[in-house]
Amino acid sequence: MEKFFKTGKAAKFLGVSNSTLNRLAKNGVLIPVKITKKGYNLYSETQLREFKGRDIDVPDVVENFKGDTYKTASHIQTASKPRQNRVTECENGVTMPSVENKNGDKNQEILSKTGTIPLQTVQNRVKNRDTECENGVTAPSDLSKKCDIEEVVNSDVSVVCSDVTVVQIIPSNKLVMPNDKFAKDLFNCSHDEYAIVLQNGGEVVEVKKFPKVGEIVSPYEIKLLDGYSDTLPLTMFDRVVLTACISEWCKGNKVTTPSIIFRHITGNDNGYNIKPSPEMERAILDSVNRMMCTQVTYEMDSACKHLKYNNGQYFKITAPILPCQYSSGIAVCGQETKNVIEFYRESPILSIARAKNKQILSFEKKLLNVPKQHNTIDNISVKHYVVQRVLEIIKHHLTPSITFDDIFKKCNLIDADRRKKSRARTEIIELLTYMKNSGDISSFTLKKEGNKYCSIEFSFSDSSSAVSEITKKAKGGYKKNQKK
């Protein structure tokens, strides 16, 4: 019969202090298999023996993230542990991290036995997902199989107890955002434009003028799956939620929760007690539902041939925007929730951006954690878009100016009342002030046309590591650094 230990005896078994064991649990390194009704943490003897035998420096919790090559301004250093640089990006893309799973075979076997109950609207598709997509790629039917496009090292499954699988993961501290033209266009359609795309498909203009060829376009189709009938267009908030899910996938985590997504999209990293309000959780789950029931087919022929996307090889992909399902019987980091989101393959939005010579942005989520801001759907959308534009401008050395009208259009605020727009402007100023104080930009000024604020201009230091690295000639053919 399995023996269980409370925190004190478990710490003595491992030869560490109670505070060290509690810190390991808080950081997701060693999660208790049970929590009693009185709130006591319980660890199994098998779990402790396996952990004791692992090659881990118990007092130190170190995240195995290889990171990206580009770095930005350093931020305030804590007394105990320096922060990593927050804005990073590879040459025109991102280096995907990997997480080593030292109990791989056993953990995979446990995870593959996990009972899953998919959302009703996608039940048929999840049951039959061992079928080949139009691009000739088979989606795996269980988590013990490898992904078709990118091999993802699995999360660490610690132990199964009382029919609940305890999944031990460390959420990503970086956000990975596909940033090609398709990702931008897809989440910025008007109602009329989206209705046309649903009926007739659409096209992405990859290049307007290419020598001897002219305009290069890539056709795509959007299809609603399994009786899903919501024809509202995808929004910036949907893109934000997708970014959070993609970030977890790239970290190697095959499951996530609304709370983890919430901490990603708000930039909050103060521990597992930060949870969304019921209204925000519903908004996150509605977004997940929309994307898991919306299938995209994207084809690149001319772009691959002339722009050398996908190494010049023909590319076509068909998959749900967010390939996932809801699963039961899983406790993530010691907390069981009814809405565990389980990924079964890579998002086609990420696959497309990677095929386009890695048109991907990567940055630390703390960049979004502006003090004393109320995180509404509008606020979250605006913060993500402004950060995206700032990073684009720094990377590609564009004119350092962002218009309020562009922000309002991209974040569905163009028809908002004056009060809501005024509040959004205030939040944008607070965000840029936060970035200035953190050293990500040097300064910014508000520009007026008459009595109306129309745009923001900002500057960044040529001596910063972000500028010196990002403005080098990139693989995508961007020009070398130009002095401002």
Side-chain angles (χ1 to χ4, degrees), residues 328-476:
S328 64
I330 299 178
V332 181
C333 298
Q335 298 184 10
E336 187 175 3
T337 175
K338 63 181 179 180
N339 291 315
V340 174
I341 300 163
E342 179 185 353
F343 310 119
Y344 59 82
R345 64 158 292 169
E346 178 177 279
S347 169
I349 308 303
L350 177 59
S351 303
I352 293 165
R354 184 184 290 113
K356 295 181 179 182
N357 298 337
K358 298 181 181 179
Q359 295 185 27
I360 301 168
L361 292 174
S362 177
F363 57 95
E364 285 201 27
K365 63 184 180 183
K366 289 183 180 180
L367 196 61
L368 302 162
N369 191 21
V370 183
K372 300 180 181 180
Q373 275 198 355
H374 183 52
N375 288 297
T376 64
I377 291 176
D378 291 338
N379 170 262
I380 291 169
S381 300
V382 166
K383 285 196 296 185
H384 276 257
Y385 184 67
V386 171
V387 168
Q388 170 202 323
R389 289 293 298 128
V390 169
L391 298 185
E392 285 177 336
I393 288 168
I394 293 176
K395 175 177 173 56
H396 303 313
H397 220 88
L398 306 174
T399 301
S401 177
I402 307 172
T403 67
F404 285 113
D405 282 347
D406 178 58
I407 297 171
F408 295 153
K409 180 180 179 181
K410 298 299 193 304
C411 299
N412 302 313
L413 293 172
I414 198 68
D415 296 323
D417 58 42
R418 179 183 294 182
R419 184 177 180 181
K420 182 174 287 190
K421 287 183 177 180
S422 176
R423 183 165 60 247
R425 289 190 189 96
T426 300
E427 291 168 345
I428 293 168
I429 293 170
E430 290 173 350
L431 170 62
L432 293 174
T433 301
Y434 176 63
M435 296 179 71
K436 175 176 173 282
N437 293 338
S438 299
D440 294 299
I441 61 175
S442 299
S443 63
F444 68 92
T445 56
L446 300 177
K447 296 296 181 179
K448 275 187 174 183
E449 287 184 0
N451 294 324
K452 179 183 177 182
Y453 288 106
C454 61
S455 65
I456 298 175
E457 294 183 359
F458 68 94
S459 63
F460 44 91
S461 174
D462 286 337
S463 61
S464 71
S465 57
V467 176
S468 62
E469 292 291 342
I470 289 178
T471 53
K472 288 181 179 179
K473 185 176 181 181
K475 291 181 179 179

Side-chain angles (χ1 to χ4, degrees), residues 4 33-34 159-165 329 336:
F4 294 92
V33 297
K34 284 184 178 181
V159 67
V160 177
C161 183
S162 302
D163 297 325
V164 174
T165 301
E336 187 175 3

Side-chain angles (χ1 to χ4, degrees), residues 46-102:
T46 301
Q47 175 193 20
L48 294 175
R49 290 187 182 278
E50 289 181 355
F51 183 82
K52 196 172 183 179
R54 292 167 62 184
D55 184 19
I56 292 179
D57 186 7
V58 174
D60 296 321
V61 180
V62 180
E63 183 178 353
N64 182 21
F65 185 88
K66 294 182 179 179
D68 307 319
T69 58
Y70 289 160
K71 298 181 180 181
T72 187
S74 298
H75 294 273
I76 300 172
Q77 306 275 321
T78 61
S80 59
K81 181 179 178 181
R83 295 185 182 179
Q84 296 177 349
N85 293 319
R86 296 195 306 193
V87 183
T88 57
E89 186 169 353
C90 297
E91 291 187 12
N92 203 28
V94 63
T95 299
M96 296 303 166
S98 62
V99 180
E100 182 180 0
N101 180 17
K102 299 185 179 180

Side-chain angles (χ1 to χ4, degrees), residues 182 196 238 263 268 302 318 320 343 365 429 445:
F182 178 58
I196 293 173
D238 294 319
R263 291 192 288 272
N268 202 314
S302 181
T318 297
F343 310 119
K365 63 184 180 183
I429 293 170
T445 56

Side-chain angles (χ1 to χ4, degrees), residues 116-402:
T116 56
I117 303 177
L119 184 69
Q120 186 65 36
T121 56
V122 294
Q123 190 168 11
N124 294 332
R125 173 161 53 83
V126 173
K127 281 184 178 179
N128 298 296
R129 68 185 188 213
D130 262 335
T131 57
E132 192 171 63
C133 301
E134 289 185 24
N135 61 331
V137 171
T138 301
S141 60
D142 63 69
L143 293 181
S144 65
K145 297 182 181 180
K146 292 181 180 179
C147 173
D148 48 313
I149 294 180
E150 177 189 10
E151 180 180 345
V152 175
V153 184
N154 67 317
S155 308
D156 182 17
V157 183
S158 56
V159 67
V160 177
C161 183
S162 302
D163 297 325
V164 174
T165 301
V166 180
V167 180
Q168 185 174 298
I169 67 173
I170 300 178
S172 175
N173 68 343
K174 299 192 178 209
L175 296 181
V176 179
M177 176 187 289
N179 201 45
D180 65 304
K181 289 184 179 179
F182 178 58
K184 295 177 182 179
D185 290 350
L186 181 63
F187 295 92
N188 187 40
C189 289
S190 66
H191 287 75
D192 292 340
E193 290 170 341
Y194 196 65
I196 293 173
V197 169
L198 285 173
Q199 185 174 356
N200 303 319
E203 288 183 340
V204 172
V205 178
E206 308 286 5
V207 175
K208 291 184 178 180
K209 293 181 179 180
F210 192 81
K212 299 181 181 180
V213 177
E215 190 174 69
I216 296 178
V217 300
S218 297
Y220 69 92
E221 296 178 356
I222 300 294
K223 178 183 178 182
L224 302 182
L225 301 173
D226 306 311
Y228 187 76
S229 58
D230 188 351
T231 58
L232 289 175
L234 296 161
T235 66
M236 186 64 194
F237 183 76
D238 294 319
R239 186 181 179 189
V240 168
V241 173
L242 180 63
T243 295
C245 293
I246 286 176
S247 303
E248 285 301 283
W249 172 268
C250 291
K251 176 68 188 245
N253 297 330
K254 292 181 179 176
V255 296
T256 192
T257 66
S259 294
I260 293 175
I261 292 175
F262 177 71
R263 291 192 288 272
H264 279 327
I265 66 180
T266 59
N268 202 314
D269 195 26
N270 290 332
Y272 298 105
N273 293 326
I274 304 299
K275 297 181 179 180
S277 66
E279 295 78 11
M280 181 60 69
E281 181 175 3
R282 185 69 261 163
I284 291 171
L285 292 175
D286 285 346
S287 179
V288 170
N289 295 345
R290 184 178 301 112
M291 291 187 288
M292 71 193 295
C293 294
T294 304
Q295 177 179 280
V296 60
T297 298
Y298 197 83
E299 182 178 7
M300 289 190 293
D301 186 4
S302 181
C304 291
K305 180 179 179 181
H306 298 289
L307 302 178
K308 303 305 177 183
Y309 288 164
N310 198 39
N311 294 321
Q313 301 297 314
Y314 174 77
F315 179 96
K316 182 179 180 181
I317 190 168
T318 297
I321 291 174
L322 183 57
C324 66
Q325 66 181 43
Y326 291 119
S327 300
S328 64
I330 299 178
V332 181
C333 298
Q335 298 184 10
E336 187 175 3
T337 175
K338 63 181 179 180
N339 291 315
V340 174
I341 300 163
E342 179 185 353
F343 310 119
Y344 59 82
R345 64 158 292 169
E346 178 177 279
S347 169
I349 308 303
L350 177 59
S351 303
I352 293 165
R354 184 184 290 113
K356 295 181 179 182
N357 298 337
K358 298 181 181 179
Q359 295 185 27
I360 301 168
L361 292 174
S362 177
F363 57 95
E364 285 201 27
K365 63 184 180 183
K366 289 183 180 180
L367 196 61
L368 302 162
N369 191 21
V370 183
K372 300 180 181 180
Q373 275 198 355
H374 183 52
N375 288 297
T376 64
I377 291 176
D378 291 338
N379 170 262
I380 291 169
S381 300
V382 166
K383 285 196 296 185
H384 276 257
Y385 184 67
V386 171
V387 168
Q388 170 202 323
R389 289 293 298 128
V390 169
L391 298 185
E392 285 177 336
I393 288 168
I394 293 176
K395 175 177 173 56
H396 303 313
H397 220 88
L398 306 174
T399 301
S401 177
I402 307 172

